[in-house]
Amino acid sequence: MSMLRVLMLLPAMVLTACSQTPPSNQNLLTELDGPLAQMQVDGRQLYQRMQKLTLDKSCTTDQQCQVLGIGSRSCGGPEQFLLFSTQQTDQKMLTITNDRYTRIRQEQQQRLGQRSTCQQLVAPLPACRQQQCVLLNTDR
């Protein structure tokens, strides 16, 4: 008898669970529509590609160490800087990848209405130390 009751109540429980709406205060990024979700995936892949392109930071001179502003802040300027060695990095591929990444970030910010601080980031100073590109500490 109890099995029959469970079977009769099961459809009502399923329908009740389906009719619940998510809380309105959920993070907007968890409710992305298809195109925005794809942009997020594409952006993550492009960022990872830039990380791989700049993984080898070996150098022989300071001039081989460079920084590239990547991404985009809503008020302008890059989100961050990426250190790389001109001796080891395919700079053309890095530039193309960064351009695509920056366009995706700009479109995401526009579609989501994101804002950021309007403080402009200052490019860090790169140098070659012990045959590796590093960022110099400019704090005083």
Side-chain angles (χ1 to χ4, degrees), residues 81-94:
F81 290 92
L82 187 62
L83 176 67
F84 69 97
S85 167
T86 60
Q87 180 181 9
Q88 303 300 326
T89 303
D90 180 345
Q91 293 177 67
K92 184 175 182 180
M93 182 58 71
L94 181 60

Side-chain angles (χ1 to χ4, degrees), residues 8 12 18 22 29 33 36-37 53 57 59 61 65 72-73 77 83-84 88-89 100 105 109 117 127-128 136:
M8 289 175 58
C18 292
L29 295 178
D33 65 7
L36 279 173
L53 285 168
K57 294 179 179 24
C59 59
T61 68
C65 299
S72 175
R73 287 185 168 206
L83 176 67
F84 69 97
Q88 303 300 326
T89 303
R100 291 179 61 203
R105 292 295 296 139
Q109 291 164 1
T117 66
C128 185
L136 296 178

Side-chain angles (χ1 to χ4, degrees), residues 106-122:
Q106 288 169 336
E107 188 172 344
Q108 283 178 317
Q109 291 164 1
Q110 182 182 28
R111 291 182 71 177
L112 293 172
Q114 290 179 329
R115 300 286 180 248
S116 69
T117 66
C118 291
Q119 176 185 8
Q120 296 296 309
L121 297 179
V122 177

Side-chain angles (χ1 to χ4, degrees), residues 47 50-51 54 57 65-73 76-85 94 98 101-102 119-126 133-136 138:
Y47 183 80
M50 287 188 292
Q51 293 292 322
T54 61
K57 294 179 179 24
C65 299
Q66 302 287 318
V67 290
L68 174 68
I70 64 170
S72 175
R73 287 185 168 206
E79 293 174 314
Q80 62 181 303
F81 290 92
L82 187 62
L83 176 67
F84 69 97
S85 167
L94 181 60
N98 183 43
Y101 176 73
T102 299
Q119 176 185 8
Q120 296 296 309
L121 297 179
V122 177
L125 298 173
C133 289
V134 297
L135 296 175
L136 296 178
T138 58

Side-chain angles (χ1 to χ4, degrees), residues 3 20 23-24 27-28 31-32 34 51 70-72 78 82 89 108 138 140:
M3 182 65 148
Q20 293 178 353
S24 61
N27 184 349
L28 181 60
E31 300 174 3
L32 296 174
Q51 293 292 322
I70 64 170
S72 175
L82 187 62
T89 303
Q108 283 178 317
T138 58
R140 297 185 195 225

